[in-house]
Amino acid sequence: ESEDSLDDDLFTGATVEELQQAAADASLELEPEMLLAINPSDDYDGVHLRFPLRLENVIEMLESFKVGKILHLKYFMLLLLHGRTLFTQEENVQCIKIAEGCKLTVVGDTHGQLQDLFTIFTVNKRPSERNWYLFNGDFVDRGTKGCEVVATMLAFKILYPKSVFLNRGNHEARAQNAWM
């Protein structure tokens, strides 16, 4: 039996929910070192993220998004893994006490609209140690740039873990999106 037909058999008859669960289970076994071994092809012209992240590298990523460049799967998965590490160290419900001299911007329902997120950053400045952000769910469900929105939020969360907060919305729940 060929390897191709074996792979096809793994997905035959699986529901969307089963495939999502299988992907979630597999991601638990991923380690950053596994992803670091992946080298983007020579024709990849997007940003190359370096960890630990630095602001300059995140700005480079944002600028590449503005001109329609795609973030390589390697870097997107690294953002997810680093973000997951931070989220597992936090409580599900957080009490945010704003430090003196800090400002908190509350953002709701970006819906995958990257341009809207860029506009928010233009008006309120980018997240920083003194410029806090609380993103209130529904990050990805409608717009065409959901991955870029999530990558941006995760990058800033990784840069400023005590200044950037993400609350899951109903569209970040697997069951909510299973039919989409």
Side-chain angles (χ1 to χ4, degrees), residues 18 44 88 115:
E18 290 167 336
Y44 173 70
T88 58
Q115 187 57 49

Side-chain angles (χ1 to χ4, degrees), residues 20-35 51 53 75-92 94 139 150-151 153-159 161 164 166 174:
Q20 289 174 330
Q21 187 61 53
D25 292 344
S27 75
L28 294 175
E29 297 175 19
L30 275 178
E31 296 293 332
E33 297 76 30
M34 299 163 111
L35 293 167
F51 292 85
L53 276 180
Y75 304 117
F76 190 80
M77 292 301 296
L78 283 166
L79 288 171
L80 289 172
L81 287 178
H82 286 279
R84 181 176 67 194
T85 299
L86 291 171
F87 294 131
T88 58
Q89 296 168 0
E90 295 178 344
E91 296 294 326
N92 247 0
Q94 298 181 57
F139 309 134
V150 168
M153 291 177 181
L154 287 172
F156 281 115
K157 174 67 177 175
I158 293 164
L159 272 179
V164 174
L166 284 78
R174 188 177 304 132

Side-chain angles (χ1 to χ4, degrees), residues 7-65:
D7 288 344
D8 290 342
D9 290 344
L10 291 174
F11 302 110
T12 302
T15 66
V16 170
E17 293 83 4
E18 290 167 336
L19 292 172
Q20 289 174 330
Q21 187 61 53
D25 292 344
S27 75
L28 294 175
E29 297 175 19
L30 275 178
E31 296 293 332
E33 297 76 30
M34 299 163 111
L35 293 167
L36 291 172
I38 298 171
N39 292 313
S41 65
D42 290 339
D43 63 341
Y44 173 70
D45 64 350
V47 66
H48 293 266
L49 295 181
R50 294 172 300 281
F51 292 85
L53 276 180
R54 297 177 49 95
L55 179 59
E56 298 79 25
N57 205 205
V58 174
I59 292 171
E60 184 182 2
M61 179 183 75
L62 300 180
E63 292 302 317
S64 75
F65 289 163

